[in-house]
Amino acid sequence: MEIIDEIKKDMLFSFLSKGRRADGRGMMDFRKIVVQPSPLQNAEGSSLVAIGKTQVIVGIKFDIAAPFPDKPDEGILSTSADLLPLASSMFEAGPPSDESIELARVVDRGIRSANTIDLKSFFIEEGKVLALYIDIYVLDHDGNMFDASALAAMQALLCTRLPKIEDGKIVRGEYAGKLPTKDKVVSCTFGKLGDKVFIDPSLDEERGMDCRITFATTPTHICAGQKGGWGAFSYKDIVELSELAIKKGDELRSLLRD
Amino acid sequence: MADSAPKLLVDGKRIDGRALDELRPIKIVARVLNDAEGSAYIEWGKNKILAGVYGPSECIPKHDQSLYRSIIKFRYNMAPFSGLEEHGKSGPSRRSRELSKVLKEAFENIIISESFPKTQIEIYVEVLQSDGGTRCAALTAAAVALADAGIPMKDLPCAVAICKIDGHMAIDPGKEEDNYGESDMPVAFAMRNGDILLFQMDGMLTHEELVQGLQMAKKAAEKIHKIQIDAIRKVYDEPKEERLLLIK
Amino acid sequence: MPGELISEREEHISYAYVEKGKTYSTVVGLYSNGKIVPLEGPYDPLAEDTVVGVITEIKFAGYSVDINYAFPAFLSNRESKEKLALGDAIIAKVLSVNEVKDVELFEAKRLPAGSLVRVSPVKVPRIIGKRNSMIDMLQSSTGCQIFVGRNGYVWISGKGNDILAEKALRIIEVQAHTQGLTDRVAAFLREHR
């Protein structure tokens, strides 16, 4: 596998040094994006997103739980990600990998920082709050799981129905209106090889590149960031890309449906 | 169960209006994933299930390897958001481990594994939404995914369950019929000769009822088999470069 | 279709299965003139196959070569005129396949710098075309040198339009079973040149 990575790197390098990408798109172009809201009905919210050949489904469930002791009047938001073994020959069945935990935490941080969901509104009664679970299921992996997952999570939240609560219990299958959401959070990921920077890396590009950086944004702010890989970004890169992430984020936001 | 059992049969019609020998609507789409060697998506009633196949590849760990054949691995998994009830726990449950085992054994009869010594063939099924009868839908989708991958097989098997509701035998129980029915009997068939590849049963049946149920299942399986074949044909009748999972 | 009856008699042909004197298909494929042509499937190595591979390990007596099969093939030092390095792409022939499908290669040649594309191995005859017609057309219209292995690895090299070459390969792969493919590919190449 390592050898193939080296070959990918050589191929990538020869393309990028000529200022082009293997699939013919521009340096700052996303692949084709398809967003499907509410593909599932048992879940309180769901969405299916494809960025190129990467496909991610997100399901949202509510339960009733005890609040965290340090925040007794706040609900719980829990995000997890599964890199399904059917999504890539590189993924294995079993406990969450470091990669899947990183993915879930980056998506979580964006949504949490932007206060997209008002967790205070999840308070039911003393010792009882709503817990919202965001489950990211990567179905098909061709690179940039971060942006596909963040987009799918946001779309799923936008079509989430609040559960109906009676006597401190959830009445399954009945709903109490839409989940109120604030700013729409999406993320943009950039890859870097040598001194070339490009958006929305494909799997081949991911395997060859030196590093990546992800910015989650609202229309006005940057709300989460994560750099990955052994390489480094310049000071100038960070300044420029964080600004571009908001602009490119607006393109992604326009694909979301309320 | 604290709830009293609902009446499952009224004027010969079932809770969802079906006749006793009527299947729920079934839709199969083959080749919906890019990385997997073969894939299929099935909607069966409200069940929404995705199957993907990898291999033959090097069998890992090595001590599982066979010099004579390919090892079949099968993972049946339910998404934590698949049910209407509470958020599911992560990790395989006792139920999903049992199902993975019986499903794997069904395919061990079918896949011509002698062609690929020392390798493994992996079959992964993800239940995205469950509505009773997921194991039958899982097997039916996995068979299409294997055919899509070009893994040589003796047959294209499919499965359906039979139940007993209010004293009558019926096919393809929905979730409520599954929960409150008097018996549940999932069966998988090899269509070329009618061999039974998977058989499970619970509840109480007379011998006559069991035989009647099997006959009904066989008839239903023929309909399901046609849907499988149509799904595979469609891949070639309407070739697409883009592989995309579309769920209404 | 797998399990579909092909003949009421015993026929010993590839991709078929004999049971109780009858013959059934084991794959999704096209059946004509007593032959099954599968529409999909993994690479199944056979002696004399021409394959494209990548050196993945250098051993004392030779090389391990990734040939798009579950296990790497072995290429003895004696069978390669030049010294090869990790990551080198080669074109070679299959010398032998034993009963547990260990593959040995011979007549290896190193390929010039380029890129590796993986296609479905069963589509390779169509990519090559009748008397090399398809591959010749691809090479002349894109200016690339293209090496196609029976194993589904395709090596695209040279200073030509390699992006176009790969796109054309994908079209052939998806439409391999259809009629009039050569004309459609020719039109595509003309349009995008």
Side-chain angles (χ1 to χ4, degrees):
Chain A
M1 268 313 167
E2 203 192 335
I3 300 299
I4 300 294
D5 280 353
E6 281 302 313
I7 295 178
K8 297 278 181 211
K9 194 167 199 137
D10 289 347
M11 283 165 55
L12 188 60
F13 204 81
S14 75
F15 273 119
L16 290 173
S17 57
K18 290 176 221 153
R20 48 186 207 134
R21 299 173 81 171
D23 51 11
R25 67 189 151 125
M27 290 295 167
M28 289 302 158
D29 291 343
F30 268 92
R31 292 166 287 177
K32 184 184 166 193
I33 301 177
V34 180
V35 179
Q36 300 175 60
S38 297
L40 306 176
Q41 288 73 46
N42 283 348
E44 276 85 26
S46 60
S47 86
L48 177 56
V49 163
I51 299 187
K53 295 177 181 171
T54 293
Q55 303 191 78
V56 175
I57 196 165
V58 165
I60 290 185
K61 287 300 290 180
F62 280 105
D63 275 346
I64 288 183
F68 290 118
D70 57 334
K71 286 173 183 168
D73 58 342
E74 262 189 33
I76 292 167
L77 168 65
S78 165
T79 309
S80 57
D82 272 285
L83 311 182
L84 299 180
L86 58 66
S88 167
S89 52
M90 298 181 299
F91 297 161
E92 280 170 32
S97 61
D98 294 352
E99 218 183 347
S100 73
I101 290 170
E102 183 189 29
L103 171 63
R105 286 179 58 86
V106 173
V107 172
D108 186 276
R109 278 210 297 277
I111 292 165
R112 206 178 284 274
S113 310
N115 285 314
T116 299
I117 304 159
D118 178 15
L119 289 177
K120 286 230 164 44
S121 72
F122 285 179
F123 179 81
I124 301 169
E125 59 187 57
E126 184 81 33
K128 247 186 198 177
V129 295
L130 271 180
L132 183 152
Y133 297 94
I134 302 176
D135 283 292
I136 299 163
Y137 253 43
V138 178
L139 306 176
D140 209 353
H141 176 34
D142 189 36
N144 199 8
M145 293 187 289
F146 280 84
D147 296 353
S149 300
L151 194 61
M154 191 63 231
Q155 179 60 68
L157 287 172
L158 286 173
C159 45
T160 294
R161 305 161 289 183
L162 279 169
K164 188 171 159 190
I165 298 165
E166 264 175 24
D167 307 328
K169 277 190 193 141
I170 292 179
V171 186
R172 297 289 174 183
E174 292 183 42
Y175 304 97
K178 273 177 79 172
L179 169 75
T181 51
K182 278 192 256 176
D183 283 341
K184 290 172 189 160
V185 176
V186 296
S187 75
C188 290
T189 297
F190 303 89
K192 187 174 183 184
L193 176 70
D195 60 352
K196 301 284 183 206
V197 179
F198 42 91
I199 203 165
D200 179 30
S202 69
L203 184 60
D204 279 352
E205 289 171 337
E206 277 182 2
R207 289 173 74 174
M209 69 198 189
D210 300 337
C211 53
R212 64 167 154 79
I213 193 155
T214 302
F215 293 103
T217 63
T218 69
T220 51
H221 287 77
I222 295 144
C223 56
Q226 184 90 340
K227 183 241 161 198
W230 66 270
F233 284 92
S234 70
Y235 182 85
K236 190 167 151 271
D237 284 336
I238 302 291
V239 172
E240 288 175 5
L241 295 177
S242 54
E243 188 187 12
L244 187 59
I246 296 185
K247 211 178 107 216
K248 281 283 165 187
D250 288 338
E251 286 176 22
L252 299 181
R253 269 181 280 275
S254 71
L255 302 170
L256 294 168
R257 266 166 280 172
D258 283 310
Chain B
M1 225 27 68
D3 321 3
S4 62
K7 190 115 180 75
L8 295 175
L9 209 55
V10 178
D11 301 334
K13 291 268 187 214
R14 297 157 69 175
I15 265 184
D16 53 6
R18 280 187 291 154
L20 289 171
D21 63 348
E22 192 179 343
L23 285 162
R24 288 174 284 179
I26 300 174
K27 195 181 105 187
I28 306 175
V29 187
R31 198 165 287 187
V32 291
L33 300 178
N34 294 282
D35 197 74
E37 246 96 30
S39 55
Y41 169 70
I42 189 166
E43 277 179 19
W44 182 322
K46 288 180 204 143
N47 289 306
K48 297 186 176 187
I49 297 173
L50 188 59
V53 169
Y54 282 95
S57 51
E58 180 178 4
C59 181
I60 299 167
K62 235 184 174 136
H63 60 76
D64 284 353
Q65 266 183 22
S66 161
L67 282 176
Y68 302 100
R69 60 188 193 89
S70 186
I71 301 295
I72 315 296
K73 296 185 174 173
F74 198 112
R75 187 179 94 138
Y76 165 99
N77 183 49
M78 279 184 106
F81 47 79
S82 59
L84 190 58
E85 305 302 316
E86 69 272 20
H87 181 252
K89 300 280 163 287
S90 63
S93 64
R94 288 170 62 85
R95 175 182 174 275
S96 59
R97 285 177 64 176
E98 184 208 345
L99 292 190
S100 298
K101 178 176 179 292
V102 294
L103 288 165
K104 176 187 83 171
E105 287 161 349
F107 283 106
E108 280 177 337
N109 180 282
I110 287 296
I111 295 172
I112 302 178
S113 56
E114 300 80 18
S115 314
F116 307 102
K118 300 191 291 179
T119 66
Q120 63 184 11
I121 292 168
E122 299 156 86
I123 309 164
Y124 296 108
V125 170
E126 299 291 338
V127 178
L128 302 175
Q129 182 162 292
S130 64
D131 181 38
T134 55
R135 80 199 65 183
C136 295
L139 183 140
T140 302
V144 174
L146 281 160
D148 180 41
I151 307 278
M153 293 191 286
K154 294 179 190 169
D155 213 299
L156 186 67
C158 65
V160 65
I162 310 104
C163 62
K164 186 179 168 187
I165 45 173
D166 290 352
H168 292 269
M169 298 305 289
I171 59 157
D172 187 22
K175 195 156 182 251
E176 271 149 331
E177 295 169 331
D178 209 358
N179 290 347
Y180 301 110
E182 294 132 74
S183 176
D184 179 27
M185 183 168 79
V187 185
F189 294 97
M191 299 311 293
R192 74 184 187 289
N193 57 14
D195 276 0
I196 287 168
L197 306 171
L198 177 149
F199 181 91
Q200 293 183 294
M201 189 236 157
D202 64 19
M204 300 281 276
L205 289 181
T206 65
H207 178 253
E208 286 75 23
E209 285 169 339
L210 187 140
V211 173
Q212 190 202 344
L214 279 180
Q215 282 168 349
M216 292 170 85
K218 185 72 206 301
K219 256 192 171 155
E222 273 156 24
K223 292 180 194 156
I224 301 165
H225 191 241
K226 278 210 182 74
I227 300 172
Q228 288 178 305
I229 287 175
D230 287 346
I232 297 166
R233 283 235 164 89
K234 202 165 173 204
V235 170
Y236 299 99
D237 289 347
E238 298 162 30
K240 285 193 197 93
E241 264 165 84
E242 191 175 53
R243 302 180 181 193
L244 190 64
L245 178 61
L246 292 167
I247 308 180
K248 271 189 301 190
Chain C
M1 295 289 162
E4 192 175 324
L5 186 70
I6 288 181
S7 166
E8 296 282 351
R9 287 175 306 158
E10 247 181 64
E11 313 253 5
H12 292 276
I13 55 175
S14 300
Y15 305 104
Y17 162 73
V18 172
E19 185 179 66
K20 293 188 183 140
K22 292 179 179 177
T23 306
Y24 302 87
S25 173
T26 65
V27 292
V28 179
L30 302 171
Y31 178 63
S32 64
N33 305 330
K35 259 176 74 182
I36 298 174
V37 180
L39 290 172
E40 202 49 71
Y43 176 54
D44 197 2
L46 276 178
E48 293 295 312
D49 279 354
T50 298
V51 296
V52 167
V54 175
I55 308 294
T56 56
E57 203 184 337
I58 298 175
K59 295 180 166 174
F60 176 69
Y63 308 91
S64 288
V65 188
D66 172 9
I67 55 160
N68 196 24
Y69 181 63
F71 297 92
F74 180 73
L75 172 68
S76 161
N77 285 330
R78 277 171 296 149
E79 299 297 342
S80 169
K81 289 195 193 85
E82 20 185 7
K83 212 155 169 58
L84 298 165
L86 279 179
D88 278 354
I90 59 161
I91 190 160
K93 277 176 129 181
V94 174
L95 176 67
S96 63
V97 183
N98 70 10
E99 61 271 32
V100 292
K101 302 238 167 150
D102 294 324
V103 178
E104 260 201 72
L105 303 177
F106 73 126
E107 291 182 0
K109 264 196 302 205
R110 179 166 38 200
L111 295 174
S115 57
L116 182 70
V117 175
R118 196 180 153 197
V119 298
S120 175
V122 299
K123 309 290 167 72
V124 165
R126 209 53 212 230
I127 289 169
I128 294 170
K130 275 198 195 106
R131 279 180 243 104
N132 294 334
S133 54
M134 190 73 91
I135 198 72
D136 286 348
M137 178 172 77
L138 277 177
Q139 299 198 93
S140 59
S141 328
T142 63
C144 295
Q145 251 190 306
I146 302 174
F147 301 88
V148 186
R150 189 70 197 76
N151 55 333
Y153 276 177
V154 179
W155 189 256
I156 304 175
S157 64
K159 293 202 162 47
N161 189 344
D162 41 5
I163 295 178
L164 183 64
E166 185 178 345
K167 281 192 175 147
L169 280 174
R170 294 292 168 220
I171 291 174
I172 301 169
E173 194 182 13
V174 171
Q175 304 183 13
H177 59 290
T178 59
Q179 307 244 307
L181 179 60
T182 316
D183 294 342
R184 275 200 302 285
V185 174
F188 171 81
L189 289 169
R190 260 199 312 277
E191 205 177 304
H192 292 88
R193 199 176 317 178

